[in-house]
C-alpha cells in the first residue's frame, strides 16, 4: 500500500516571510522618523544654519520613484496575462527608474555642502536617506533577479509568479517609505 501525500493546501509562507521582514523594516524606519521628529521638536533652529535642504533634485527623484511603482505594477499585470515580453519590459523600465533615483541621490549628496558629521540634522538626514537608498539598491537587485529568472523557460506565467509579486511588494514598500521620508525631511523642513 502506497501513501501519497500532497501539499496542495499549504499556504505560501514566502509571502508571509516578506511581510514579516517589511514590518520589521517599517519599525526601523519608524524609529528613525520618531528620532528625527523628536530632535526637530526640541531644537530651536532646525535645520541648523548651513544645512538647508534643496528641493529640486529630491522632488524630481520623488516623481521618478513614485511613478516606478505604477510601472512595476504594469509588469505584474502583464505576467498575469501571460505576456513575459511586457513583464520584462516594465520591470526593466522600473530598474532604470530606480537606478536614476540612486544617481540623483548621489548627485544630491555631492552638492549639499555638509556631511554626515556636520551636525545632528545632517546626521539624521544622511542616516535616513542613506538607509532608504540601501533599500532601493536591494530592490534593484530583486528586480534584476526577476529579470534573470524570467530567462528560464516557463519560470513565470499567469499562474506562477510569486517571486515577481514579492519584488513588486518590496518596491511599493520602498516607495511608501520614501513618500514619508520626503514629507518629513524635505517638505516639513523646507517650509
Amino acid at each position: 500500500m502506497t501513501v501519497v501525500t500532497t501539499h496542495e493546501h499549504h499556504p505560501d509562507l514566502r509571502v508571509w516571510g516578506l511581510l514579516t521582514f517589511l514590518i520589521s523594516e517599517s519599525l526601523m524606519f519608524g524609529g528613525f522618523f520618531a528620532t528625527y521628529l523628536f530632535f526637530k521638536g526640541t531644537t530651536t533652529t532646525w535645520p541648523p544654519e548651513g544645512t538647508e535642504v534643496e528641493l529640486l533634485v529630491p522632488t524630481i527623484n520623488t516623481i521618478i520613484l513614485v511613478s516606478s511603482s505604477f510601472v512595476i505594477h504594469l509588469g505584474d499585470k502583464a505576467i498575469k496575462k501571460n505576456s513575459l515580453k511586457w513583464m520584462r519590459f516594465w520591470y526593466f523600465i522600473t530598474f532604470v527608474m530606480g537606478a536614476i533615483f540612486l544617481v540623483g541621490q548621489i548627485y544630491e549628496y555631492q552638492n549639499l555642502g555638509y556631511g554626515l558629521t556636520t551636525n545632528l540634522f545632517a546626521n539624521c538626514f544622511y542616516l535616513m536617506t542613506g538607509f532608504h537608498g540601501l533599500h532601493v539598491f536591494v530592490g534593484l537587485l530583486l528586480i534584476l533577479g526577476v529579470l534573470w529568472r524570467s530567462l528560464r523557460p516557463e519560470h513565470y506565467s499567469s499562474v506562477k509568479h510569486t517571486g515577481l509579486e514579492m519584488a513588486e511588494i518590496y518596491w511599493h514598500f520602498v516607495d511608501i517609505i520614501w513618500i514619508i521620508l520626503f514629507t518629513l525631511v524635505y517638505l516639513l523642513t523646507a517650509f
Side-chain angles (χ1 to χ4, degrees):
M1 180 176 187
T2 305
V3 177
V4 177
T5 59
T6 62
H7 301 282
E8 295 172 18
H9 301 292
H10 290 211
D12 190 346
L13 297 179
R14 295 175 296 177
V15 175
W16 286 107
L18 174 67
L19 294 176
T20 302
F21 171 73
L22 294 181
I23 289 169
S24 72
E25 293 299 291
S26 297
L27 293 173
M28 198 171 322
F29 275 107
F32 280 141
F33 297 154
T35 301
Y36 179 83
L37 289 172
F38 173 79
F39 289 137
K40 184 179 186 329
T42 58
T43 306
T44 54
T45 305
W46 193 264
E49 280 198 39
T51 51
E52 292 77 23
V53 294
E54 175 63 39
L55 282 179
L56 180 62
V57 172
T59 300
I60 293 168
N61 257 356
T62 300
I63 292 167
I64 291 168
L65 196 62
V66 171
S67 298
S68 72
S69 255
F70 295 100
V71 173
I72 200 169
H73 186 66
L74 292 173
D76 182 60
K77 288 173 69 172
I79 199 62
K80 289 178 180 172
K81 293 178 182 175
N82 253 348
S83 177
L84 191 59
K85 174 183 151 192
W86 283 105
M87 181 281 293
R88 287 180 184 145
F89 174 78
W90 293 119
Y91 266 66
F92 177 75
I93 296 298
T94 303
F95 178 85
V96 170
M97 293 171 87
I100 291 170
F101 175 88
L102 284 181
V103 168
Q105 193 170 18
I106 292 167
Y107 174 82
E108 178 187 13
Y109 285 175
Q110 291 175 339
N111 293 290
L112 283 175
Y114 52 88
L116 177 66
T117 59
T118 301
N119 56 39
L120 189 57
F121 169 79
N123 185 261
C124 289
F125 173 84
Y126 278 103
L127 285 176
M128 288 190 296
T129 58
F131 194 58
H132 178 267
L134 174 64
H135 281 74
V136 172
F137 180 74
V138 169
L140 292 178
L141 293 178
L142 291 173
I143 290 169
L144 280 179
V146 165
L147 291 170
W148 178 259
R149 289 176 151 223
S150 75
L151 298 175
R152 292 180 177 166
E154 299 180 26
H155 188 79
Y156 293 120
S157 69
S158 62
V159 293
K160 186 179 170 193
H161 50 263
T162 302
L164 192 137
E165 286 181 329
M166 290 174 61
E168 180 186 5
I169 291 168
Y170 182 86
W171 196 255
H172 291 315
F173 167 78
V174 166
D175 286 356
I176 291 166
I177 292 297
W178 180 256
I179 290 168
I180 297 167
L181 197 153
F182 179 74
T183 302
L184 289 177
V185 174
Y186 291 95
L187 294 180
L188 292 181
T189 302
F191 297 110

